[in-house]
């Protein structure tokens, strides 16, 4: 029997539909949006049943799992609705605007015994999987990390709203923060310089920041993020230095195709890896589908979503207060 999936919110939700439709074991039972024009487009493009509300969807069908792809302020309520009906959840990042929302999402999913996966696609990128494996097996853990992750212009109102997307640092940098948590471990303190440098119409929302992270294992990272680039030119570049190796990841934003690395004891030989499909999106979707099918907990869940949000909040707090902030103290 096929696994029945629904998608709610059809902006990036259309990428979810595209990837689900490539998995033979999946049956897409519904796509939901409040915008009738989008429903019409999606119905024509994907040939799936569309619904103008979640209530309508749930009256007609009972999915095994759902992708929640609406703006973050809606994630808590939708998670509660689906979890209480025993429907597994893949929720887009950022998990929610507030720490307390994330805690409620974790709680309702645990109480109803459903999976809550968060859409941190970078954890599924073959580029970063290569690094994760090699940091553990050969390279050693990074002690010094320097990342460039500046995005292009986004003008959606919800993206900038403190009570919704939380601006570029929460909505977008959360991807890099979760990646660094995944690769380098838990973060102790954050120090940020940031502000509203480029988008006065959304002031006082912080649009850009440069910040440092001190990890619990005493590794250090520097990150440049926010609206400091333009689409088409935006890059994703990270250098990781371990005791044994220095490696550099590079590529377009969200397309980290190249890795170059040297062993410190033989720096004239440069190792190279190239990844044709560096984006982890399809693998993320397939993982969720496999977890439902095999009743196995997803490798990235609510706890990671909550933790990444806390670090984003620490970055913003530090930029506002202009002093180091402990992640543990964020609530
Ligand atoms: N993983 C990624 O790479 C990635 C990329 C883009 C966006 N996102 C995340 O996905 C989420 C959505 O972002 P987006 O760019 O698609 O936003 P968007 O504004 O383009 O689309 C959101 C859609 O949700 C619909 N919607 C809003 N509330 C709804 C509700 N209650 N029920 C049904 N539909 C509703 C809107 O009509 C809209 O069509 C955000 O959390 C965002 O951060 C993730």
């Amino acid at each position: 029997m096929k696994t029945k999936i629904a998608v709610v919110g059809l902006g990036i939700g259309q990428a979810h539909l595209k990837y689900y439709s490539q998995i033979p074991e999946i049956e897409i039972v519904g796509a939901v949006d409040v915008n009738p024009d989008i429903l019409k487009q999606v119905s024509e493009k994907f040939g799936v049943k569309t619904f103008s509300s979640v209530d309508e969807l749930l009256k007609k069908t009972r999915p095994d799992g759902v992708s929640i792809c609406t703006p973050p302020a809606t994630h808590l309520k939708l998670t509660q609705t689906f979890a209480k009906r025993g429907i597994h959840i893949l929720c887009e990042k950022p998990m929610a605007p507030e720490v307390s929302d994330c805690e409620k999402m974790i709680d309702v999913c645990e109480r109803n015994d459903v999976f809550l996966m968060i859409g941190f696609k970078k954890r599924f990128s073959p580029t970063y999987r290569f690094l994760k494996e090699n940091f553990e097996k050969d390279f050693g853990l990074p002690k010094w990390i320097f990342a460039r992750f500046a995005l292009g212009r986004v003008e959606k109102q919800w993206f900038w709203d403190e009570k919704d997307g939380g601006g570029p640092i929460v909505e977008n940098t959360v991807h890099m923060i979760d990646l660094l948590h995944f690769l380098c471990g838990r973060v102790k303190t954050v120090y940020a310089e940031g502000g509203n440098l480029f988008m006065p119409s959304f002031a006082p929302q912080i649009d850009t920041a440069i910040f440092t992270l001190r990890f619990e294992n005493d590794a250090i990272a520097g990150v440049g993020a926010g609206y400091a680039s333009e689409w088409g030119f935006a890059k994703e570049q990270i250098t990781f230095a371990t005791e044994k190796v220095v490696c550099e990841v590079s590529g377009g934003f969200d397309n980290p195709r190249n890795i170059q690395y040297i062993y410190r004891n033989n720096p004239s030989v440069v190792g190279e890896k190239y990844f044709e499909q560096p984006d982890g999106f399809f693998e993320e979707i397939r993982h969720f589908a496999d977890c439902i099918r095999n009743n196995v907990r997803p490798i990235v869940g609510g706890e990671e979503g909550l933790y990444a949000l806390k670090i984003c909040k620490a970055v913003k707090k530090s930029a506002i207060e202009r002093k180091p902030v402990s992640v543990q103290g964020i609530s």
Side-chain angles (χ1 to χ4, degrees):
M1 216 168 58
K2 293 198 177 198
T3 306
K4 293 181 180 156
I5 293 284
V7 176
V8 182
L10 302 173
I12 197 65
Q14 293 192 39
H16 287 238
L17 284 177
K18 180 177 103 182
Y19 294 132
Y20 283 127
S21 66
Q22 292 169 11
I23 304 174
E25 300 81 20
I26 293 288
E27 179 189 351
I28 300 169
V29 294
V32 183
D33 203 289
V34 289
N35 181 328
D37 296 336
I38 293 185
L39 289 182
K40 188 165 176 287
Q41 282 167 27
V42 164
S43 159
E44 284 166 10
K45 192 166 161 191
F46 294 96
V48 295
K49 277 194 193 139
T50 58
F51 300 92
S52 58
S53 73
V54 166
D55 281 353
E56 206 197 319
L57 169 89
L58 293 172
K59 270 186 214 149
K60 297 276 164 54
T61 181
R62 201 272 184 201
D64 302 306
V66 63
S67 278
I68 297 179
C69 305
T70 49
T74 64
H75 291 178
L76 168 60
K77 188 161 174 265
L78 288 169
T79 297
Q80 288 169 331
T81 301
F82 287 109
K84 284 176 185 167
R85 283 165 178 79
I87 297 167
H88 298 294
I89 293 161
L90 167 56
C91 179
E92 267 298 354
K93 46 49 65 180
M95 185 169 166
E98 297 302 334
V99 165
S100 60
D101 294 353
C102 298
E103 289 167 346
K104 286 178 194 155
M105 288 166 74
I106 293 169
D107 181 58
V108 73
C109 289
E110 272 176 10
R111 277 190 290 111
N112 290 281
D113 206 16
V114 298
F115 300 138
L116 172 58
M117 177 171 162
I118 304 299
F120 286 132
K121 63 184 179 185
K122 291 191 183 301
R123 288 187 181 235
F124 298 89
S125 154
T127 313
Y128 293 123
R129 294 217 145 247
F130 170 86
L131 287 181
K132 174 82 175 161
E133 214 177 291
N134 279 283
F135 287 152
E136 282 162 11
K137 283 195 186 145
D138 178 20
F139 292 177
L141 280 185
K143 289 190 159 183
W144 184 98
I145 304 109
F146 190 61
R148 169 182 174 183
F149 193 62
L151 72 154
R153 194 181 188 93
V154 180
E155 299 211 58
K156 293 172 188 175
Q157 191 63 43
W158 66 258
F159 175 98
W160 293 93
D161 185 345
E162 188 62 21
K163 292 191 177 335
D164 203 340
I169 300 303
V170 172
E171 203 280 346
N172 194 265
T173 312
V174 72
H175 271 306
M176 178 55 64
I177 281 173
D178 177 67
L179 176 70
L180 294 179
H181 172 213
F182 175 58
L183 293 177
C184 308
R186 288 177 71 83
V187 174
K188 203 160 44 179
T189 43
V190 173
Y191 179 71
E193 290 286 353
N196 185 280
L197 307 187
F198 300 108
M199 291 292 259
S201 52
F202 294 108
Q205 185 55 268
I206 291 172
D207 59 15
T208 36
I210 291 180
F211 56 93
T212 58
L213 305 172
R214 167 74 72 172
F215 292 82
E216 286 181 359
N217 64 10
D218 272 339
I220 52 174
V223 181
Y227 174 46
S229 192
E230 292 299 338
W231 299 121
F233 187 71
K235 310 277 191 303
E236 182 159 325
Q237 293 173 334
I238 318 179
T239 303
F240 297 92
T242 77
E243 278 178 17
K244 195 169 164 189
V245 165
V246 180
C247 57
E248 297 193 348
V249 178
S250 61
F253 195 85
D254 274 349
N255 270 303
R257 288 187 191 287
N258 305 292
I259 298 180
Q260 288 194 315
Y261 58 98
I262 53 146
Y263 286 87
R264 289 182 188 270
N265 64 5
N266 190 12
S268 57
V269 177
V270 179
E272 298 206 50
K273 294 285 288 182
Y274 176 81
F275 297 87
E276 196 67 51
Q277 303 279 357
D279 180 15
F281 218 143
F282 176 64
E283 290 306 326
E284 171 198 306
I285 298 290
R286 187 154 64 185
H287 180 69
F288 180 58
D290 287 349
C291 286
I292 297 177
R293 207 167 176 76
N294 303 320
N295 197 27
V296 175
R297 206 179 163 89
I299 60 162
V300 56
E303 292 298 342
E304 289 79 12
L306 166 63
Y307 191 60
L309 180 73
K310 283 187 178 179
I311 300 173
C312 293
K313 295 244 178 219
V315 170
K316 292 179 71 171
K317 185 170 166 33
S318 174
I320 291 165
E321 295 179 358
R322 308 195 78 169
K323 58 181 192 199
V325 168
S326 152
V327 176
Q328 226 180 6
I330 298 291
S331 56

